[in-house]
Amino acid sequence: MPKKVSEIINGRRVIVKKPELLAPAGNLEKLKTAILYGADAVFIGGKEFSLRSSASNFSLEDIQEAVAFASEHGAHIHVTTNIVMHEENLEGLEDYLKALDALGVTAIICADPHVILTAKRLGLKMETHLSTQMSTTNEKAIAFWQRQGVDRVVLAREVSYAELKQIRVRTDLDLEYFIHGAMCINLSGRCMLSNYYSRRDANRGGCSQSCRWFYQLYDKEGQPVGQEPFTMSSRDLSLLREIPALIELGIDSFKIEGRMKSIHYIATVVSCYRKLIDAYCADPDGFVFDEFYEKEIAKAANRSLGKGFFYGVADKKGQLFNLRDEHPTQEFVMRVISYDPQNQIAKVEQRNHFRVGQQVEFFSPSHPNYVMTVEQLYNEAFEPIEVANHPMEILYLKVDRPLMPNDMARKVRT
Amino acid sequence: MKLMTNISHRELISEFRAMKVDAVVVGNEAVSSRFGVSFSLDEIRKLSESFHCYMLLNELYLPSELPLVQSWLNDLKTTNIQGILFQDFAIVEMTREMGWEIELMYAPDTLNTNSATLNDLAGLGISSAFLAREIDLETIERLSSRVKMPLCVQVHGVMYMAQSRRPLLTNYASETGMVLSDPSYLMQANGDERLAWIHEDRYGTHVQTQSELVGLDFLHRLSQAGIAWGYVDTQFMEPMYAIEIVNLYMDALKSIKEGTFNKDIHAYRLLLQGLGKGHVYDQGFFNDRTVYKIEDVRRMENAKKGE
């Protein structure tokens, strides 16, 4: 049976089985950001055997640095080995898995049964997690994979909360559930639209997102039907309000999608869910949902958000029918390097254009958001300037609230 | 190599029986997808008496759907069916729990793309496998030489493209006010001439090519490679056309056995050409490969721009 979720301690119910917050990272900077902003674990892709072939994936040296950083902060690294392999991909698998294991990677995320069974045969320390690409939707399939030695199942996004409840009581295997990010419209691992339309293999990371194209429908006689273009585009998932229910169910890991997402997105989204999870776990019976979380997430969302399959079959509210419903996120402009409390001067790294007179909002894993107008801005030589327009340039500005290294700032939308 | 085909019209039953088709695939709307005709249990029982009959339990089932699947498994065990085409490993687990040793063909419509995985699955109770359509003929030959279980390759018919658990047509109709009056439609991507079938059932939305895969020219090589089954999908075919196509492939397989295929292939091609009026034919991925590494994608796209 699954472990107990809550206990009464000193007369108050507290959550004792806190879920892992699992964040994505496409490079080392994003990985460090995810951990600093509160992720308990980060999933990354290696240079081989991983989907998202256009993400700047991690070399073994990068993974070594990632594991070291994660360990220092009490976090874990999961490496995706989740392509569906063709004959030409088989070579090098054993050596690669052994190398990951030797580096101290906590888990590999696998879509191909051969990867799982190879890892088990080699007797590696790493856990094997069954990827959502295998579209596991019920407890019997979980039982089958548990018998093969799988340590965790990443459930298909088609599993609703009601179905999840049934699964949870019928298995004691670790369960991982998506809480945020982009969604495939079709069953993961079973979509060949890209293969047929673009000759790009979706199951090896080459997906051309043909589901988001526009189509015309015809009847069997070849007559066009429908006044609007037909699309199969999904809204992104966001389960902020559903987090308490998922915690009470005892789900082991909450997954945020987005290895190709920006550092701003990762920091904002991870931080939001971290604060929400911590607030709920500390006092579940006294918890009141704060709209702050939704407002904060909206600053990083680049597509309209929805609930996916959480409440059952996804109706039209879970889809995008407009012409390209993508919103620019609130622009990320700087990252804090250090702060001099005596002079109230922050040393920052520029990430996007901003100027004196601009309103910016600092956000952080450790203190509330702070809005201010940039009044004094200096270049690296401490000469006053009006505009910060060189990427990654080092700047100084006056901030009358203390900041921490790796705090970030975004432009305030007016 | 033998021929396996689905029964997409009841009129095909007597014809397939007369042709002595090696195996038929049947389904029921309660537990199957992309099946053609929904046969009752009694009909399936009857069919299993005169055919090598495989049942489609080819969905990915939610927990609430498992009792129905279990009920079907219990009933199917009382028939003479030869095997089950599945993609959900719940089927493997449930038949194991029942102590039912039935042929289990792993048919996830994609995914079966390498020999190592298939050999691993053979050790886990999977009896046979339906190869992915998106691998080329050379790879099929190489793979087949290394795999220890019977393999099935689709040789003719519409090809699976995608499935969603969302009712995409219903959602679109609800959003736009379109009235859904047909069980299936055709869809065409902007800027692309190809059409695809799209239809809904209780398990969501299914997308399949309108063009028919034609593997006739590769039949001999597939047979030489040791492929156990050639699959002809008769979905979306008119009954007479389906009969002609299945008959053609049965004849072709016979000529391979008798060593006359190389001589007979010309006649088969002409026959197919004659049958093909109004049909779009495609060689699928038999002579084609997909790319996925960013440098290969860019190279392919640059080559297209240059055309």
Side-chain angles (χ1 to χ4, degrees):
Chain A
M1 282 302 290
K3 299 186 203 90
K4 207 188 328 186
V5 171
S6 64
E7 275 179 14
I8 307 293
I9 295 174
N10 297 330
R12 202 176 69 173
R13 192 169 75 94
V14 293
I15 301 295
V16 294
K17 187 184 178 208
K18 212 170 179 181
E20 168 191 89
L21 181 60
L22 175 62
N27 60 38
L28 273 168
E29 184 189 31
K30 290 174 188 175
L31 179 142
K32 290 175 182 176
T33 301
I35 290 172
L36 290 170
Y37 276 75
D40 300 302
V42 179
F43 67 99
I44 62 178
K47 297 262 183 222
E48 295 293 334
F49 305 110
S50 172
L51 289 181
R52 307 286 180 269
S53 62
S54 58
S56 46
N57 289 327
F58 287 65
S59 65
L60 288 174
E61 290 73 27
D62 293 335
I63 294 174
Q64 186 172 30
E65 188 178 337
V67 169
F69 185 87
S71 296
E72 281 166 33
H73 293 84
H76 297 273
I77 300 295
H78 302 181
V79 176
T80 60
T81 51
N82 57 351
I83 62 165
V84 172
M85 294 194 294
H86 288 221
E87 283 298 282
E88 64 267 26
N89 302 125
L90 294 170
E91 199 182 322
L93 176 66
E94 282 196 16
D95 287 343
Y96 185 68
L97 294 180
K98 284 180 196 166
L100 291 178
D101 197 52
L103 290 174
V105 163
T106 301
I108 47 172
I109 307 172
C110 321
D112 196 309
H114 180 60
V115 178
I116 297 167
L117 296 167
T118 301
K120 291 299 161 191
R121 265 199 298 273
L122 293 172
L124 303 176
K125 292 188 302 296
M126 293 185 299
E127 290 183 1
T128 48
H129 295 180
L130 188 67
S131 169
T132 195
Q133 292 292 106
M134 277 299 275
S135 281
T136 307
T137 52
N138 63 67
E139 67 274 17
K140 292 289 185 187
I142 291 169
F144 173 85
W145 288 111
Q146 189 171 16
R147 283 196 298 111
Q148 316 319 321
V150 158
D151 298 287
R152 179 187 289 186
V153 167
V154 185
L155 290 165
R157 290 169 174 96
E158 286 77 11
V159 174
S160 69
Y161 176 70
E163 304 281 3
L164 185 60
K165 273 168 73 173
Q166 293 192 51
I167 293 172
R168 179 71 285 178
V169 299
R170 293 169 189 168
T171 181
D172 58 3
L173 194 66
D174 266 17
L175 299 175
E176 189 172 298
Y177 194 73
F178 279 92
I179 58 168
H180 199 92
M183 293 187 72
C184 286
I185 198 80
N186 293 312
L187 292 166
S188 293
R190 266 73 165 173
C191 182
M192 294 288 108
L193 291 181
S194 172
N195 294 52
Y196 279 90
Y197 283 122
S198 315
R199 284 318 195 241
R200 285 169 56 170
D201 191 350
N203 276 344
R204 287 187 288 175
C207 184
S208 60
Q209 302 213 18
S210 313
C211 57
R212 300 200 191 266
W213 297 354
F214 295 122
Y215 295 80
Q216 173 63 51
L217 287 180
Y218 298 91
D219 63 22
K220 278 189 285 198
E221 278 72 49
Q223 295 304 306
V225 296
Q227 301 298 315
E228 309 283 337
F230 176 75
T231 81
M232 296 180 275
S233 189
S234 174
R235 289 184 181 226
D236 282 5
L237 178 71
S238 178
L239 295 181
L240 281 168
R241 287 187 183 262
E242 291 72 21
I243 290 298
L246 289 168
I247 292 173
E248 294 291 352
L249 202 48
I251 301 307
D252 301 273
S253 179
F254 292 171
K255 188 166 196 167
I256 297 167
E257 180 276 341
R259 274 192 289 142
M260 294 175 73
K261 294 293 204 302
S262 69
I263 184 176
H264 174 224
Y265 176 95
I266 288 168
T268 305
V269 174
V270 170
S271 176
C272 253
Y273 281 100
R274 173 81 279 147
K275 289 169 182 164
L276 176 50
I277 291 168
D278 289 349
Y280 186 80
C281 289
D283 184 13
D285 294 330
F287 176 81
V288 176
F289 187 86
D290 189 338
E291 282 181 10
F292 157 81
Y293 300 115
E294 284 171 336
K295 287 179 183 157
E296 191 70 1
I297 286 273
K299 294 169 188 171
N302 73 317
R303 259 190 219 110
S304 295
L305 301 173
K307 301 297 176 186
F309 286 84
F310 191 84
Y311 293 103
V313 174
D315 63 14
K316 66 176 183 179
K317 291 197 295 290
Q319 286 181 242
L320 295 169
F321 295 97
N322 313 349
L323 293 172
R324 295 212 70 82
D325 185 39
E326 283 175 9
H327 322 127
T329 63
Q330 232 163 280
E331 218 173 337
F332 164 46
V333 291
M334 63 184 118
R335 186 180 71 88
V336 175
I337 297 171
S338 61
Y339 182 79
D340 172 4
Q342 205 167 358
N343 297 304
Q344 295 186 321
I345 294 285
K347 181 179 179 185
V348 302
E349 182 183 78
Q350 191 264 28
R351 290 305 184 102
N352 267 300
H353 178 282
F354 68 99
R355 55 170 56 246
V356 168
Q358 179 79 55
Q359 260 204 325
V360 296
E361 178 182 45
F362 282 95
F363 62 98
S364 166
S366 49
H367 57 77
N369 293 4
Y370 171 58
V371 176
M372 61 166 254
T373 302
V374 176
E375 285 171 356
Q376 294 173 46
L377 185 62
Y378 306 91
N379 64 14
E380 198 170 2
F382 224 88
E383 296 159 337
I385 55 173
E386 287 295 310
V387 177
N389 56 3
H390 300 295
M392 307 298 277
E393 67 178 326
I394 303 300
L395 303 163
Y396 295 90
L397 71 161
K398 190 141 173 49
V399 182
D400 59 14
R401 294 265 180 103
L403 297 174
M404 298 292 290
N406 295 299
D407 285 357
M408 298 187 194
R410 52 173 86 102
K411 278 184 192 169
V412 173
R413 275 201 200 121
T414 48
Chain B
M1 190 158 112
K2 295 182 190 173
L3 190 126
M4 182 185 284
T5 184
N6 52 355
I7 305 178
S8 55
H9 300 274
R10 285 193 166 79
E11 301 99 297
L12 301 178
I13 296 172
S14 55
E15 298 291 335
F16 286 173
R17 196 174 283 126
M19 280 185 231
K20 294 193 171 72
V21 158
D22 301 298
V24 296
V25 173
V26 296
N28 177 280
E29 62 187 348
V31 286
S32 320
S33 284
R34 303 180 291 282
F35 49 86
V37 170
S38 182
F39 289 105
S40 68
L41 177 69
D42 282 340
E43 285 176 309
I44 292 168
R45 186 188 307 284
K46 243 176 153 171
L47 286 166
S48 72
E49 301 299 331
S50 55
F51 285 105
H52 277 230
C53 193
Y54 288 76
M55 178 70 184
L56 275 175
L57 292 177
N58 61 336
E59 261 305 325
L60 292 163
Y61 302 103
L62 293 166
S64 55
E65 293 160 348
L66 288 182
L68 181 61
V69 175
Q70 184 66 69
S71 170
W72 268 88
L73 285 171
N74 294 344
D75 288 336
L76 287 168
K77 195 178 177 193
T78 68
T79 71
N80 208 30
I81 63 161
Q82 184 75 23
I84 294 169
L85 271 70
F86 78 96
Q87 65 167 317
D88 191 333
F89 284 92
I91 300 296
V92 183
E93 193 68 7
M94 289 159 86
T95 52
R96 187 189 71 90
E97 287 169 354
M98 290 163 69
W100 187 20
E101 285 188 20
I102 179 86
E103 180 183 338
L104 294 174
M105 181 181 287
Y106 184 41
D109 280 305
T110 167
L111 301 185
N112 288 339
T113 49
N114 78 78
S115 55
T117 302
L118 291 171
N119 285 335
D120 282 337
L121 290 175
L124 300 182
I126 282 76
S127 327
S128 53
F130 199 126
L131 286 186
R133 293 165 189 81
E134 62 276 8
I135 50 177
D136 62 280
L137 183 59
E138 263 182 49
T139 303
I140 293 173
E141 288 170 322
R142 209 162 50 240
L143 192 159
S144 181
S145 70
R146 297 169 183 168
V147 170
K148 299 168 197 155
M149 64 158 99
L151 297 174
C152 180
V153 170
Q154 183 176 354
V155 295
H156 200 98
V158 299
M159 294 171 277
Y160 168 90
M161 291 172 79
Q163 182 189 347
S164 177
R165 267 281 187 162
R166 304 181 198 223
L168 296 176
L169 290 170
T170 299
N171 288 352
Y172 172 76
S174 171
E175 174 71 12
T176 64
M178 175 186 144
V179 174
L180 283 178
S181 50
D182 288 328
S184 54
Y185 290 85
L186 288 159
M187 65 180 218
Q188 182 180 34
N190 284 5
D192 194 300
E193 59 187 13
R194 293 167 291 183
L195 291 161
W197 288 109
I198 178 168
H199 76 273
E200 275 180 20
D201 64 15
R202 65 190 285 164
Y203 289 106
T205 310
H206 307 266
V207 181
Q208 298 171 94
T209 61
Q210 189 215 25
S211 63
E212 292 167 35
L213 172 69
V214 174
L216 181 65
D217 281 353
F218 313 112
L219 221 53
H220 193 212
R221 281 177 70 178
L222 289 170
S223 179
Q224 293 285 102
I227 298 297
W229 296 101
Y231 186 77
V232 173
D233 195 326
T234 61
Q235 284 183 92
F236 301 102
M237 291 184 186
E238 293 300 318
M240 270 317 302
Y241 177 76
I243 291 165
E244 298 281 5
I245 290 291
V246 170
N247 198 37
L248 173 72
Y249 279 87
M250 287 290 294
D251 261 358
L253 288 173
K254 191 172 166 209
S255 79
I256 289 172
K257 208 170 166 183
E258 292 169 354
T260 59
F261 182 78
N262 287 342
K263 186 168 57 77
D264 296 336
I265 180 67
H266 308 286
Y268 294 138
R269 282 190 192 126
L270 277 172
L271 183 56
L272 190 60
Q273 210 174 357
L275 289 171
K277 250 194 200 150
H279 293 259
V280 179
Y281 288 156
D282 192 327
Q283 289 193 336
F285 293 86
F286 281 125
N287 274 335
D288 208 348
R289 285 193 163 209
T290 53
V291 296
Y292 63 102
K293 290 186 181 176
I294 191 70
E295 55 271 22
D296 294 330
V297 169
R298 286 196 185 121
R299 203 174 296 128
M300 180 179 70
E301 283 168 0
N302 288 336
K304 268 197 199 142
K305 281 183 197 150
E307 277 169 13

